[in-house]
Amino acid sequence: MTPLPSVDSLAADAIALLARLVAFDTTSRDSNLALIAFVEDRLHRLGVTATRVPNADGSKANLYATLGPASAGGVVLSGHTDVVPVDGQPWTSDPFTLTEKDGRLYGRGTCDMKGFLALALAAAPFFAERDRLRRPIHLAFSYDEEVGCLGAPAMIAEIARHLPRPDAVIVGEPTRMEVVHGHKGITSYYVTVTGHEAHSSLTHLGLSANMAAIRLMHSLSELAARLEQQADPASPFLPKHATLTIGQINGGTAVNILARQCVFVFDLRCPPGTDPQAILAPFLAEAQALDAEMKARFADAGVAVVRRSLTPAFAPEPDGAAERIARRLAGDNGPPRVVAYAAEAGQFQEAGFSTVICGPGSIEQAHQPNEYVERVQMERGAAFMLRLADMLAGND
């Protein structure tokens, strides 16, 4: 059996792999299959068979694989392969070419979250080495996390159904390699308001979708203010309250035409224990009433509210196995931590897995122009992977 590499050597391998992963443009609106094929090929060369879980039209896929023995008590290393767009952002380097400067590794997805994927893949050769591990490592790479955690549920269901029960799931979102045991949930909705076009001077002959949509958006704005006022002072989250924002608005054809259509998208982020459907019930009733009001004037007008995503919150697990394991591997004796963003951790927890979030980089760099992960974070991640190998080999 070959000796484990040094931290510096593993970190260097991971950074080289990160350059390869960043070069794949896996923006959520596009396919991730080229990256998935790259991962499959690397695992195949190690004698590891990976399983794809494709989306409905086959344009994207999740991937999971087991390294080591097919036994219970292993650890899942989970991460998403998609990244957010770079459109309109003032990057000073090519976002799809890894660029290092002053100890920072720049590129789209470096911290969110291809750095973690690169660490797991760099460690794969010794994870997969025959007879090294007594308990397995499971890799679980998803698609479409950035647009509502849409891809992971089908993969999680297969993992629950087909793999020996792991002790822990580690979701490698950027936490500066500190352990996080809770996140808010997110639900998002498309609201499509359809009016009736007419000359803007003849308002009695038409119905502006924009004007009707403003009524609904005003209600959401007031709801957001009420949620802030109702914040629990004891909440560990920042912001402490459930938050509601309207992220996109698109409506109208010209200034002198009553708008035929206005579409807006909003999201609601709730701490664990808060029911998003109960919060939104009055708004949904208002939208239904406005739909009837508009249809009474023009049969082709109205309001359609369609849920875009529903990702569960991730609640702190009392004396959780995943947190104990991850804190030991990360050398983390800090206070309990939660994050305001949503991730796939809540979905793994909902499926019954003990789960934690821990990965390289900071969420403050995610989704930004000139996104980066620090080299020192990749080194901390490499040390984490080496300790994980020792633990699953029974050397802890």
Side-chain angles (χ1 to χ4, degrees):
M1 189 180 303
T2 58
L4 291 176
S6 68
V7 169
D8 288 346
S9 175
L10 181 58
D13 289 347
I15 290 169
L17 271 168
L18 179 58
R20 300 289 302 275
L21 297 180
V22 167
F24 293 103
D25 181 354
T26 52
T27 304
S28 302
R29 64 190 171 214
D30 300 320
S31 175
N32 72 333
L33 293 184
L35 184 150
I36 290 296
F38 171 78
V39 173
E40 278 179 325
D41 180 66
R42 287 191 65 85
L43 294 177
H44 177 73
R45 292 169 185 268
L46 299 174
V48 175
T49 300
T51 301
R52 289 192 187 196
V53 184
N55 67 349
D57 65 10
S59 62
K60 302 179 183 183
N62 302 300
L63 185 83
Y64 67 92
T66 297
L67 291 73
S71 60
V75 172
V76 176
L77 300 177
S78 173
H80 61 83
T81 61
D82 61 315
V83 297
V84 297
V86 300
D87 306 21
Q89 293 187 334
W91 284 75
T92 57
S93 61
D94 181 348
F96 299 107
T97 300
L98 190 71
T99 303
E100 183 169 7
K101 183 179 180 181
D102 299 329
R104 294 175 174 178
L105 303 160
Y106 292 91
R108 176 53 89 221
T110 47
C111 78
D112 188 17
M113 56 181 297
K114 290 180 177 178
F116 183 78
L117 303 186
L119 286 163
L121 290 172
F126 55 86
F127 286 157
E129 191 173 356
R130 184 178 178 86
D131 296 330
R132 178 181 291 280
L133 302 184
R134 294 183 181 179
R135 291 175 287 161
I137 294 286
H138 308 287
L139 303 182
F141 296 171
S142 66
Y143 67 86
D144 279 2
E145 189 272 351
E146 295 289 8
V147 291
C149 298
L150 304 181
M155 175 177 64
I156 293 170
E158 286 212 10
I159 289 171
R161 188 162 52 243
H162 298 305
L163 297 188
R165 193 73 177 177
D167 281 343
V169 175
I170 299 170
V171 178
E173 292 282 357
T175 66
R176 300 195 61 79
M177 292 307 302
E178 296 173 338
V179 176
V180 166
H181 69 179
H183 68 61
K184 290 183 178 180
I186 179 173
T187 183
S188 60
Y189 284 83
Y190 291 106
V191 182
T192 302
V193 182
T194 304
H196 190 84
E197 288 178 311
H199 194 286
S200 63
S201 67
L202 304 173
T203 54
H204 63 294
L205 297 183
L207 184 58
S208 169
N210 287 351
M211 298 295 282
I214 287 169
R215 290 170 55 181
L216 295 175
M217 287 189 277
H218 178 65
S219 294
L220 289 174
S221 179
E222 290 185 324
L223 174 56
R226 288 196 300 274
L227 292 172
E228 184 172 2
Q229 293 166 1
Q230 296 164 4
D232 178 0
S235 170
F237 289 92
L238 187 66
K240 292 180 177 297
H241 53 89
T243 60
L244 191 152
T245 62
I246 299 169
Q248 291 180 302
I249 307 170
N250 187 11
T253 304
V255 68
N256 57 354
I257 301 175
L258 297 182
R260 180 181 179 277
Q261 188 176 83
C262 182
V263 179
F264 64 93
V265 190
F266 71 90
D267 73 47
L268 172 65
R269 297 173 183 264
C270 293
T274 305
D275 182 1
Q277 299 308 114
I279 290 174
L280 291 174
F283 169 78
L284 297 175
E286 179 184 354
Q288 189 174 23
L290 181 57
D291 176 67
E293 177 186 325
M294 295 176 71
K295 282 181 166 55
R297 288 192 60 192
F298 298 99
D300 60 344
V303 179
V305 182
V306 178
R307 191 169 69 198
R308 172 182 173 271
S309 65
L310 178 60
T311 302
F314 171 40
E317 178 187 348
D319 194 32
E323 182 162 4
R324 290 198 309 273
I325 289 168
R327 281 183 173 273
R328 187 171 68 202
L329 297 176
D332 182 0
N333 296 313
R337 303 179 189 90
V338 297
V339 291
Y341 60 77
E344 294 165 344
Q347 294 172 324
F348 277 101
Q349 185 180 66
E350 190 174 58
F353 296 103
S354 181
T355 306
V356 78
I357 305 175
C358 186
S362 168
I363 195 64
E364 293 181 2
Q365 274 72 60
H367 301 194
Q368 301 289 323
N370 299 322
E371 176 185 348
Y372 67 85
V373 65
E374 296 167 324
R375 176 178 279 270
V376 69
Q377 285 287 302
M378 295 298 288
E379 292 167 353
R380 287 187 63 183
F384 184 101
M385 294 296 170
L386 292 170
R387 294 186 195 114
L388 177 61
D390 268 340
M391 183 189 80
L392 296 183
N395 299 326
D396 55 328

